[in-house]
Amino acid sequence: MNDVVIEMSCDPDLPWVKSERNQLKQVFVNVIKNAIEAMPTGGNLQVSVRKMTSGVCMYFVDQGQGISEERLPRIGEPFYTTKEKGTGLGMMVSFAIIEEHQGHIEYQSKLGVGTTVVIQLPAAM
């Protein structure tokens, strides 16, 4: 889609994560959709899942336009969006879902280089 290539890699023997499958699917769809839209002329989206001592860490790394330092802290705020026709609710809901799963979501970005979304989730007990 949009000349975006999605590459996936996972560590072997990942721990189980206690989750509501459809909620996490919504988070992943939001993050991937945003990454694709940030690369209107194409690029690579690298998705990787790594084992941590306390759970798993997922990285979504795009080659999009990037997000300015001033805007980064506002991602996830209700009705805050950088899109012309966006509502700002997708990431707000995503942040709430990850928090509900006792996880953490973080954005790292550099203008003109791209954005990395890091999602950490605890292992199931």
Side-chain angles (χ1 to χ4, degrees):
M1 190 171 166
N2 292 353
D3 288 326
V4 172
V5 175
I6 300 175
E7 299 172 358
M8 174 109 184
S9 66
C10 295
D11 283 348
D13 302 321
L14 291 169
W16 289 97
V17 174
K18 184 177 180 183
S19 69
E20 170 52 51
R21 179 187 311 210
N22 289 328
Q23 288 182 346
L24 286 186
K25 184 163 108 178
Q26 181 178 358
V27 171
F28 301 149
V29 166
N30 286 340
V31 171
I32 291 169
K33 182 176 178 279
N34 285 348
I36 290 170
E37 289 174 357
M39 298 184 284
T41 58
N44 291 328
L45 172 59
Q46 296 178 333
V47 180
S48 56
V49 185
R50 302 289 172 243
K51 187 178 357 180
M52 302 182 334
T53 55
S54 60
V56 296
C57 191
M58 292 159 270
Y59 300 88
F60 300 81
V61 182
D62 71 45
Q63 297 175 323
Q65 310 150 344
I67 304 166
S68 70
E69 282 189 45
E70 303 85 50
R71 292 180 176 217
L72 275 175
R74 298 205 55 203
I75 295 174
E77 285 183 15
F79 306 108
Y80 179 75
T81 183
T82 59
K83 298 178 188 176
E84 191 174 308
K85 295 183 180 181
T87 63
L89 296 177
M91 289 318 302
M92 181 198 78
V93 168
S94 295
F95 272 66
I97 288 170
I98 295 301
E99 189 174 297
E100 190 176 298
H101 284 80
Q102 283 79 49
H104 177 73
I105 185 168
E106 175 185 335
Y107 273 71
Q108 303 164 352
S109 191
K110 189 167 185 177
L111 282 175
V113 177
T115 300
T116 299
V117 180
V118 181
I119 299 174
Q120 296 176 353
L121 291 170
M125 299 292 170

